[in-house]
Amino acid sequence: MPNRLTVADRIIIHLSNYTKYLESYDVSIDISQDGIAAGLRISRAHATIELKKLKENGYVTEKQSHIKKGKTRRKVYFLTPKGEERVAEILKYVKENEIDLSRYQDIRKCKGPDLWDSLDEKFKPIIAMASVFRKPFSRDVLPDISVSLLPVDEKGMVDLPQEIKEYVLSVTETNRIEDYHNFAADYWLHCDDIKEVLYHLVMAKRFNDAEILLYNHAAELMLSPDDELFETVSNIRDMTPGYSDVVHYVQAEMARRIGRAEYCLILTKMMEASSIPSERFKGYLIEGKLHMDHEEYHLAYRSFIRARGVFDDHMDTNIECCVAESLLKNEDIHEAQEILMRLVSQGFKDYDDEARAYYLLGTIAIKTGDDDEALRMFTISRRAMIKRQSEILTTLSNENFSAGMRSKAIEYALMADECTLNLPAVEPSKTRK
């Protein structure tokens, strides 16, 4: 017997990990023909032949079982009592011959170096391509090979263990990794996953494309800030003048939202020194919000006033609401009310600003003991929020209709109509411009 394990022995060792699931209703896809082939990194045809022999020799039995997270029943394999006895013999042989069993294990259980060393050179690029993905992805997008190299779930998705990904990328050439990130960016663009597209563009050092993506999808990305996204946008380098204000804004605002106050403050100071007015404005605005987060209301007021001064030829309703709120937090009710009433008198172009202004007026009314006025202000604020929701749903309806998704377009249109029907009865004191 050669100093190595046969494919049949490897299948028996593989199945020995799943004996306890013999009577389970749901079983792992790993004990199907596809799962066994992927776990042992052999072709499905090879796995079929070996399983047939093992069954004929009484080492395995087959049955139809429901696959976990799947919708179908499939043929799966378990060891017989004779197969269990064979496991002990194989393990004894492994110990006596000092065979490293890890290199024969399921890819998800392998150590990175063991896996890499056991691979044929022509298969290493496939593993490297798979290693750049942070999320499960479709196996179909990778080159087709005869060997079931990657573990695939019931939905045809691949997700390698993080330890393997890190090792594989550490031994792969940098330019190859950038190529693979380009490939992944195109995949996620097709899937409409903007966050993953941005990540892979940055990792591929396609910073200009990342800037354009951020410019077009900043509002969407800011809805769900987290450490991963923050790290991605922080790694955008060599910014072009036309996009720097947007990139810096997202970097600073995301830092504020996830609690990176010091980094946020450094960025805002850099933005405030910019020659681009819009960037200076955003720098002061975010700095003011940061001070509001830390209840430093006098400092917030100062930052908002500086933002107001960047564009002194027109009134920005958002910054005026910020100034009013900082004054209100400092108990300067009279000046805050004057600012808000000026906004009401000129009307609003943005539903969000309208909702915020009337909410602040309602808060002032409570502080001054006018409960009826407070109720009226809060009702108008709620109307604006509902109109904003209706506006968003209408936009979604139009986008789906343009994309040919008529049923979705109708669904969003009906939701928008329902919002309108639920508008409170109280009318704003001023009409919208």
Side-chain angles (χ1 to χ4, degrees):
M1 189 175 186
N3 191 21
R4 64 181 179 85
L5 295 183
T6 66
V7 172
D9 290 341
R10 292 167 60 193
I11 291 176
I12 289 174
I13 291 296
H14 176 83
L15 293 178
S16 68
N17 296 310
Y18 300 92
T19 301
K20 61 183 177 181
Y21 300 109
L22 180 60
E23 303 301 328
S24 300
Y25 174 75
D26 286 328
V27 298
S28 171
I29 194 174
D30 298 333
I31 54 175
S32 67
Q33 287 185 357
D34 287 333
I36 293 169
L40 273 61
R41 303 187 290 284
I42 60 176
S43 69
R44 190 178 188 280
H46 196 172
T48 302
I49 292 171
E50 294 295 335
L51 285 166
K52 182 180 180 182
K53 291 178 182 178
L54 288 170
K55 182 183 175 185
E56 290 173 349
N57 292 325
Y59 290 113
V60 303
T61 183
E62 67 179 34
K63 59 182 288 191
Q64 292 284 334
S65 291
H66 188 269
I67 301 296
K68 290 179 180 178
K69 299 181 181 179
K71 298 180 180 179
T72 60
R73 291 170 63 84
R74 297 181 64 170
K75 187 183 294 185
V76 296
Y77 298 85
F78 290 96
L79 293 179
T80 63
K82 183 179 178 181
E84 295 289 353
E85 293 175 2
R86 179 61 185 153
V87 172
E89 295 174 1
I90 296 171
L91 292 178
K92 180 182 178 182
Y93 172 79
V94 166
K95 184 176 180 180
E96 290 175 350
N97 291 274
E98 298 182 347
I99 296 174
D100 182 6
L101 195 59
S102 63
R103 66 171 51 233
Y104 297 111
Q105 289 181 320
D106 186 320
I107 190 172
R108 288 162 295 188
K109 299 174 183 176
C110 286
K111 298 294 184 181
D114 296 329
L115 169 66
W116 196 248
D117 292 341
S118 69
L119 288 174
D120 189 301
E121 286 297 323
K122 64 184 178 181
F123 295 144
K124 288 183 177 181
I126 307 296
I127 294 293
M129 290 177 76
S131 295
V132 302
F133 284 85
R134 299 192 301 180
K135 295 171 57 176
F137 65 95
S138 174
R139 172 63 182 85
D140 292 342
V141 302
L142 294 181
D144 191 22
I145 54 177
S146 60
V147 175
S148 297
L149 188 62
L150 297 166
V152 180
D153 67 14
E154 180 67 15
K155 296 179 180 178
M157 306 297 282
V158 175
D159 188 20
L160 292 176
Q162 187 61 30
E163 182 183 351
I164 287 179
K165 294 178 185 178
E166 291 175 357
Y167 178 79
V168 169
L169 295 179
S170 73
V171 295
T172 303
E173 295 178 5
T174 302
N175 62 328
R176 291 287 187 185
I177 295 175
E178 291 178 7
D179 289 341
Y180 300 149
H181 278 295
N182 275 319
F183 171 80
D186 291 339
Y187 171 82
W188 289 118
L189 183 62
H190 178 74
C191 298
D192 201 27
D193 190 326
I194 302 303
K195 183 177 177 181
E196 290 304 302
V197 176
L198 181 65
Y199 166 75
H200 289 291
L201 287 177
V202 172
M203 295 302 292
K205 294 184 171 56
R206 289 170 56 185
F207 298 131
N208 186 242
D209 290 330
E211 290 175 333
I212 294 171
L213 186 76
L214 204 59
Y215 179 85
N216 291 322
H217 297 277
E220 176 184 343
L221 290 167
M222 292 301 295
L223 292 175
S224 54
D226 55 34
D227 289 333
E228 282 188 348
L229 185 55
F230 170 70
E231 184 176 355
T232 297
V233 298
S234 297
N235 284 329
I236 296 177
R237 301 285 185 267
D238 305 323
M239 281 171 255
T240 52
Y243 296 106
S244 64
D245 64 329
V246 174
V247 176
H248 286 147
Y249 165 75
V250 174
Q251 290 175 339
E253 178 62 6
M254 195 165 293
R256 182 185 73 84
R257 294 190 185 189
I258 66 171
R260 303 286 185 90
E262 291 184 6
Y263 187 81
C264 175
L265 196 57
I266 291 171
L267 282 172
T268 57
K269 293 303 182 185
M270 179 183 67
M271 294 168 72
E272 290 162 13
S274 172
S275 61
I276 304 171
S278 61
E279 188 167 348
R280 292 202 306 277
F281 175 84
K282 291 170 184 173
Y284 289 126
L285 175 61
I286 296 173
E287 184 183 62
K289 290 181 177 180
L290 182 64
H291 288 311
M292 291 289 285
D293 295 339
H294 290 84
E295 300 182 359
E296 300 165 338
Y297 303 126
H298 64 292
L299 295 177
Y301 172 78
R302 186 174 65 184
S303 296
F304 292 143
I305 290 297
R306 288 174 175 171
R308 177 199 271 176
V310 173
F311 299 109
D312 54 8
D313 58 339
H314 71 276
M315 183 183 293
D316 183 281
T317 53
N318 177 38
I319 202 66
E320 293 302 311
C321 284
C322 289
V323 172
E325 185 172 1
S326 64
L327 287 167
L328 186 55
K329 291 291 187 180
N330 266 326
E331 300 299 325
D332 192 341
I333 296 175
H334 179 70
E335 188 176 351
Q337 188 174 35
E338 284 187 349
I339 292 172
L340 294 169
M341 292 308 297
R342 281 200 302 271
L343 291 180
V344 169
S345 67
Q346 74 168 16
F348 297 90
K349 295 180 180 180
D350 185 274
Y351 286 119
D352 289 334
D353 292 340
E354 181 178 4
R356 186 180 177 191
Y358 278 107
Y359 178 84
L360 291 172
L361 284 170
T363 303
I364 290 173
I366 289 178
K367 287 180 175 291
T368 56
D370 193 342
D371 293 345
D372 290 339
E373 180 66 4
L375 179 60
R376 193 172 80 87
M377 294 296 102
F378 289 144
T379 302
I380 297 173
S381 176
R382 181 167 175 263
R383 280 181 62 88
M385 287 189 287
I386 292 174
K387 287 180 179 180
R388 172 60 171 157
Q389 184 180 3
S390 177
E391 185 176 71
I392 293 171
L393 291 168
T394 299
T395 300
L396 288 171
S397 175
N398 293 335
E399 289 179 352
N400 278 276
F401 186 80
S402 298
M405 302 173 66
R406 188 171 180 275
S407 59
K408 269 291 183 185
I410 293 173
E411 180 183 342
Y412 282 123
L414 290 174
M415 292 168 66
D417 288 342
E418 186 178 353
C419 284
T420 303
L421 292 173
N422 290 331
L423 283 173
V426 178
E427 292 294 331
S429 57
K430 295 291 181 181
T431 57
R432 178 177 299 279
K433 286 189 175 182

